[in-house]
Amino acid sequence: MKDKNFAGLDLLRFFAAMTVCLYHVAFLSWAKADSSAAIIAGNFYRFDDFSGVLSVGWIGVEIFFVISGFVITFSADGSAWKFLRSRILRLYPAVWFCAPIALFISLCLDAFPLSEAPTRIVRSSLLWPKGNWVDGVYWTLGIEMSFYFLVYLLLKFAPRRSIIPMLVCLGTVSSTYWLGQFMAQSVWGISIIPEFLRQGGANRYMELSLIPHGCFFAIGGLAWNVLCNGRSRWLWLAIGFCTLGAVVEIQSANEIKQSWTGISTIIALPQLIWIASMVFLWVSVAKRDWMAQFIPVAAVRSMGKMTYPFYLLHTTVGCAVLFEFGLLGANRWVALAASLFITLVASYAVAQMIEPAIKNTLAKILDARLSSTLKMPGLNFRRLNTQSK
């Protein structure tokens, strides 16, 4: 099953990135004064008349996690090294270019002290799982890497078929965590989960364990096994259970984010957006041939490639553009449109020109290093390089 057949997933990935961008650039930039977005943007503009919609843009992260579970499960079709190599080449090249840009903008606009710059750039460049980073959006990458590492261990030490039990187990534990909390609060009015574990960033180790977000990865991975790999439809029961846990997690996350700003969202809007996205994912996969008739696949694929650098750049570049247009006294909608346009153009340039060049160089280094370590003259590294793209 080739990735290019899932053009709808690239559209969904781009939509998720855009919602997160609007959340940071058009909401947190004025609604949360101590956020890096607000510090960089300079408090020139407010979009409070649309706060009920903009305040739920963070739901894009939960959509990303499901897409990641789907894509990683079907891409883990070779050796552990092939999988690890593909993940390194996917994550690091864009970071190595985008992180210095984010650092430069943040320092210029006093988002954090100069003394913190060395630590932040090193942690960001290594994708260190625990902050501080050059930009807060890096918090999701550590969670992604935890999931990748779990898949890598299975490929290394267990048969590939063990991925399905792993996904069911991960989703069950994660969903039980959230449903247990929901039942305790609804029936007994108590919290069975300590407050420091419920707060998003207060316990990074809890996040890295995948317990809070594992239900999302499981939904994506199990969906691929049912829709594309011909696995038992009984897996839909596991998907349904994980969906219940995901809905509760979204509600919990929404309450936490409302506590940051004191601004209420439209009731159930984040859950509705996420469920609609899951329906679109199903259509994108189950009806991919039909969708291909209406979607310009090449253009949509380019949008999908832009998503990662766009995610890395949107807060710093987008808010910096708001700051510059604010100094000029421009209309807020003109400033927001310019912010999105410039960030998109920069992301396209990174995805099409800069990231591939870094990736090709890194691939040669990885393959040469492996060849030197294993000392296996008969290994065809050109073929390995081709298979893992």
Side-chain angles (χ1 to χ4, degrees):
M1 196 69 63
K2 294 186 180 296
D3 189 22
K4 64 182 180 182
N5 290 334
F6 302 116
L9 288 187
D10 286 315
L11 281 178
L12 185 59
R13 186 184 285 118
F14 186 81
F15 167 77
M18 189 60 68
T19 61
V20 174
C21 174
L22 290 173
Y23 175 69
H24 288 125
V25 176
F27 180 70
L28 284 190
S29 62
W30 57 268
K32 192 171 187 291
D34 61 344
S35 67
S36 59
I39 295 171
I40 294 172
N43 199 30
F44 284 102
Y45 301 106
R46 294 179 64 90
F47 300 89
D48 44 352
D49 41 346
F50 293 91
S51 61
V53 175
L54 295 172
S55 60
V56 303
W58 53 268
I59 194 62
V61 170
E62 273 77 354
I63 298 172
F64 274 134
F65 288 155
V66 176
I67 297 174
S68 181
F70 183 94
V71 173
I72 294 305
T73 302
F74 87 75
S75 64
D77 59 351
S79 67
W81 161 249
K82 177 184 173 183
F83 176 77
L84 178 62
R85 179 183 183 278
S86 69
R87 292 304 92 199
I88 292 173
L89 294 178
R90 178 70 182 104
L91 290 177
Y92 284 95
V95 164
W96 290 342
F97 183 80
C98 295
I101 294 175
L103 176 70
F104 177 76
I105 292 173
S106 297
L107 290 176
C108 288
L109 297 177
D110 297 322
F112 50 77
L114 179 61
S115 60
E116 296 181 8
T119 300
R120 287 179 180 265
I121 192 62
V122 169
R123 287 178 176 268
S124 300
S125 299
L126 294 176
L127 289 180
W128 198 256
K130 198 169 185 294
N132 292 324
W133 307 283
V134 295
D135 190 343
V137 299
Y138 282 67
W139 76 271
T140 66
L141 300 182
I143 297 172
E144 294 271 3
M145 291 179 70
S146 289
F147 181 65
Y148 299 163
F149 184 64
L150 183 58
V151 174
Y152 169 78
L153 290 178
L154 287 177
L155 293 175
K156 183 73 174 177
F157 300 108
R160 190 187 184 282
R161 62 179 181 271
S162 61
I163 290 181
I164 293 180
M166 178 274 288
L167 290 170
V168 172
C169 181
L170 176 64
T172 300
V173 170
S174 177
S175 300
T176 302
Y177 170 86
W178 289 112
L179 291 172
Q181 173 65 20
F182 175 77
M183 291 297 295
Q185 288 185 326
S186 300
V187 177
W188 299 295
I190 63 172
S191 173
I192 62 174
I193 301 173
E195 186 66 18
F196 77 95
L197 293 182
R198 297 183 62 235
Q199 297 298 323
N203 193 309
R204 181 61 173 170
Y205 299 108
M206 187 66 175
E207 290 181 334
L208 294 175
S209 74
L210 297 177
I211 291 176
H213 302 99
C215 50
F216 298 102
F217 292 104
I219 289 170
L222 294 174
W224 179 80
N225 277 287
V226 173
L227 296 173
C228 303
N229 205 27
R231 297 299 181 182
S232 171
R233 295 186 179 276
W234 285 103
L235 291 179
W236 279 116
L237 294 177
I239 293 174
F241 185 68
C242 291
T243 298
L244 292 176
V247 169
V248 176
E249 189 281 337
I250 291 170
Q251 180 58 35
S252 176
N254 193 43
E255 292 173 357
I256 291 172
K257 288 171 173 58
Q258 286 186 59
S259 71
W260 291 351
T261 62
I263 297 175
S264 299
T265 62
I266 297 175
I267 296 177
L269 182 58
Q271 288 93 332
L272 291 174
I273 294 174
W274 183 81
I275 291 172
S277 298
M278 296 305 99
V279 173
F280 185 81
L281 184 148
W282 178 84
V283 174
S284 299
V285 177
K287 306 294 182 181
R288 56 186 175 277
D289 294 333
W290 173 78
M291 288 191 67
Q293 303 176 49
F294 309 100
I295 295 177
V297 176
V300 170
R301 186 56 180 151
S302 295
M303 292 169 62
K305 290 180 178 179
M306 290 170 54
T307 301
Y308 185 41
F310 182 76
Y311 181 77
L312 295 174
L313 292 173
H314 74 269
T315 302
T316 50
V317 173
C319 290
V321 173
L322 284 186
F323 177 81
E324 294 298 329
F325 273 74
L327 293 177
L328 296 174
N331 174 272
R332 62 173 179 165
W333 297 112
V334 172
L336 181 60
S339 172
L340 296 177
F341 177 76
I342 292 173
T343 307
L344 287 170
V345 170
S347 303
Y348 181 83
V350 173
Q352 295 296 324
M353 295 178 287
I354 298 168
E355 187 178 7
I358 301 175
K359 183 180 294 185
N360 289 337
T361 301
L362 180 59
K364 293 177 182 178
I365 294 172
L366 289 174
D367 292 344
R369 183 65 178 173
L370 180 66
S371 178
S372 175
T373 301
L374 297 181
K375 297 180 180 180
M376 296 175 60
L379 190 59
N380 189 333
F381 285 97
R382 180 172 296 179
R383 181 182 178 190
L384 178 64
N385 182 51
T386 302
Q387 289 177 338
S388 59
K389 286 184 180 179

